[in-house]
Amino acid sequence: MSEHPLKPETKDMLAQVSVATLATALFKRGLRNQVIQDVRPIKGKGRNMVGPAFTLRYIPAREDRNQLTVFRNPEHPQRHAIETCPEGHVLVMDSRRDASMASAGDILITRLMVRGGAGVVTDGGFRDAMNIGELDIPAYHNRPSSPTNLTNNEAIEINGPIGCGNVAVFPGDIMVGDDDSVIVIPAYLADEVAQEAIEMTAYEDFAIEQVRDGVSIIGLYPATKEENLERFAAWRKKNGR
């Protein structure tokens, strides 16, 4: 278990903010490369995926080790990861940024969903992607890919540090995905980043309303004019934010 478990109130806050806002909050803390690259939702859910990372690492396949018979082994790491990912966690796969073969398919992802998984992320591709997109579980990948993972990948390790889309992911890191992308938040920063992101989101909602009403972004975004801060305070009071 992580030394910094995800608090219910922090999870609730992270469910209300965008990956873009979280990226800015992490940027302020010197973390500039936390958004997983070249990964997008199979189908938008209109809600955020939030949960601690549970990881699976692939390495390049070697032909003498990766025949279809390996799937008969109940301890096969890919199958075992699906069956052991804790409820509320996000299964994150290091597929070597290679979408020429599938990281998993709809049967495995359905099983992950039924077991209570909060989501699934790969920097490769999923087979049966059209079916996965219709599931309730949020799923993120590079593109659809039909060949079995055994074609080019071997599942080798569960719940160790991985790289996914050029981002380091450690077990227990907090994964947040929206309808754009996925970000990795170090677990020890989750509480403060969530709090700040909620504050930032309130101001951003105010700012977009002002821009729609014809207000210039100069002095508004970022807020450098005192009158805009006063306007924001009044807007916040009025809207209960």
Side-chain angles (χ1 to χ4, degrees):
M1 179 175 284
S2 170
E3 295 178 8
H4 304 275
L6 180 60
K7 298 175 182 176
E9 57 269 29
T10 298
K11 182 178 180 180
D12 289 344
M13 286 187 283
L14 291 173
Q16 301 174 53
V17 298
S18 71
V19 167
T21 297
L22 291 167
T24 300
L26 288 172
F27 183 95
K28 291 178 181 179
R29 291 160 174 79
L31 295 169
R32 300 187 174 197
N33 298 290
Q34 297 303 113
V35 175
I36 294 179
Q37 296 299 301
D38 300 318
V39 165
R40 56 197 62 85
I42 294 179
K43 186 175 182 179
K45 302 299 183 188
R47 69 180 193 276
N48 280 8
M49 171 190 77
V50 184
F54 183 83
T55 64
L56 172 64
R57 181 168 64 92
Y58 285 100
I59 62 172
R62 200 176 75 186
E63 289 78 2
D64 62 334
R65 291 177 55 88
N66 287 274
Q67 302 302 315
L68 285 172
T69 52
V70 301
F71 287 149
R72 296 177 182 174
N73 177 5
E75 297 300 312
H76 182 270
Q78 184 207 42
R79 267 55 177 173
H80 197 53
I82 294 293
E83 292 291 342
T84 57
C85 180
E87 183 178 352
H89 283 56
V90 175
L91 178 59
V92 187
M93 295 185 247
D94 174 0
S95 294
R96 306 187 299 113
R97 302 192 74 181
D98 186 352
S100 64
M101 69 283 148
S103 302
D106 61 343
I107 294 175
L108 270 64
I109 303 307
T110 299
R111 175 61 178 162
L112 179 68
M113 177 185 72
V114 169
R115 292 192 61 257
V120 60
V121 181
T122 178
D123 58 4
F126 288 120
R127 68 196 312 188
D128 316 307
M130 76 287 279
N131 296 334
I132 294 173
E134 296 304 316
L135 297 174
D136 192 50
I137 187 171
Y140 298 79
H141 72 166
N142 176 265
R143 62 170 172 82
S145 181
S146 295
T148 172
N149 70 86
L150 300 174
T151 307
N152 287 329
N153 269 344
E154 177 179 350
I156 197 72
E157 182 185 26
I158 294 174
N159 221 29
I162 62 168
C164 185
N166 275 1
V167 180
V169 182
F170 293 87
D173 280 350
I174 306 306
M175 310 297 297
V176 181
D178 61 15
D179 283 352
D180 283 342
S181 52
V182 181
I183 195 165
V184 183
I185 305 174
Y188 72 95
L189 286 175
D191 295 341
E192 65 179 80
V193 165
Q195 288 277 2
E196 181 168 340
I198 285 287
E199 294 297 310
M200 291 170 64
T201 298
Y203 187 81
E204 288 164 359
D205 289 348
F206 161 75
I208 195 69
E209 203 172 284
Q210 295 293 297
V211 169
R212 285 172 178 155
D213 288 341
V215 176
S216 169
I217 61 170
I218 306 303
L220 172 69
Y221 188 72
T224 56
K225 288 185 178 180
E226 187 63 33
E227 63 192 72
N228 285 323
L229 293 174
E230 292 171 0
R231 252 197 233 122
F232 173 54
W235 175 90
R236 198 167 196 182
K237 186 175 182 180
K238 177 184 176 182
N239 290 279
R241 298 287 294 275

